[in-house]
Amino acid sequence: MSFGRLEKPEGSRPMSDINMTPLIDVMLVLLVIFMITAPLMTASLRLDLPKSEAATPSDAPSFVAVAITPDGKLHLGDDELDAKAFQQRVAELGRANPQMEVQLRADRAVPYGQVAELIGWVQAAGLSRIAFVAQAAASAP
């Protein structure tokens, strides 16, 4: 005849260690993202773009970014050019692809005359699709 014990058998204990593998994976992904985006943030051109309710990004397949800073410097993509070189490069782009869209970014402090002159150069190069880039206006809560 067997008699039972009055003591309970000790069961399995819950694991008290934290699994570090998912935490390390997340940190490595964040590190890679920051390493990729950090240089892009420093190379950006600082412009005070006008705000508009209708500002939406364009999804044109081929475009060239043109910018003019408050001090009158011209930028074609990431390159800073003088007026003569700018006109030559835009003319080359116009001959290569006349359907290319020009996305114009002009600081709000740039006089309208300089912006109109820039548009004239772009149109003289044969590029007639010009998009004005503006910041989206902040919506009221």
Side-chain angles (χ1 to χ4, degrees), residues 88-135:
Q88 290 173 349
R89 291 271 304 271
V90 170
E92 291 170 6
L93 291 172
R95 282 191 297 273
N97 184 4
Q99 296 301 317
M100 183 180 295
E101 180 178 285
V102 176
Q103 292 186 353
L104 176 62
R105 291 172 171 82
D107 193 281
R108 73 171 62 198
V110 175
Y112 181 72
Q114 288 181 349
V115 175
E117 184 179 26
L118 178 64
I119 293 170
W121 292 339
V122 170
Q123 288 177 337
L127 297 170
S128 59
R129 297 182 62 197
I130 301 173
F132 293 95
V133 179
Q135 284 182 332

Side-chain angles (χ1 to χ4, degrees), residues 2-126:
S2 79
F3 294 98
R5 290 185 188 169
L6 295 177
E7 302 169 0
K8 291 186 179 178
E10 190 172 318
S12 62
R13 302 176 112 195
M15 188 172 79
S16 63
D17 296 334
I18 296 175
N19 188 2
M20 295 296 289
T21 305
L23 296 174
I24 294 170
D25 289 344
V26 169
M27 293 304 295
L28 287 175
V29 168
L30 287 174
L31 178 67
V32 169
I33 290 172
F34 288 135
M35 286 173 48
I36 291 172
T37 58
L40 298 176
M41 295 175 64
T42 59
S44 65
L45 186 61
R46 302 274 183 218
L47 293 176
D48 184 19
L49 295 174
K51 296 183 180 5
S52 170
E53 296 289 330
T56 57
S58 171
D59 39 335
S62 67
F63 69 90
V64 62
V66 172
I68 184 167
T69 59
D71 55 359
K73 293 182 181 173
L74 301 171
H75 294 266
L76 184 63
D78 291 332
D79 302 329
E80 183 178 325
L81 304 170
D82 62 346
K84 191 85 162 161
F86 178 84
Q87 291 174 7
Q88 290 173 349
R89 291 271 304 271
V90 170
E92 291 170 6
L93 291 172
R95 282 191 297 273
N97 184 4
Q99 296 301 317
M100 183 180 295
E101 180 178 285
V102 176
Q103 292 186 353
L104 176 62
R105 291 172 171 82
D107 193 281
R108 73 171 62 198
V110 175
Y112 181 72
Q114 288 181 349
V115 175
E117 184 179 26
L118 178 64
I119 293 170
W121 292 339
V122 170
Q123 288 177 337

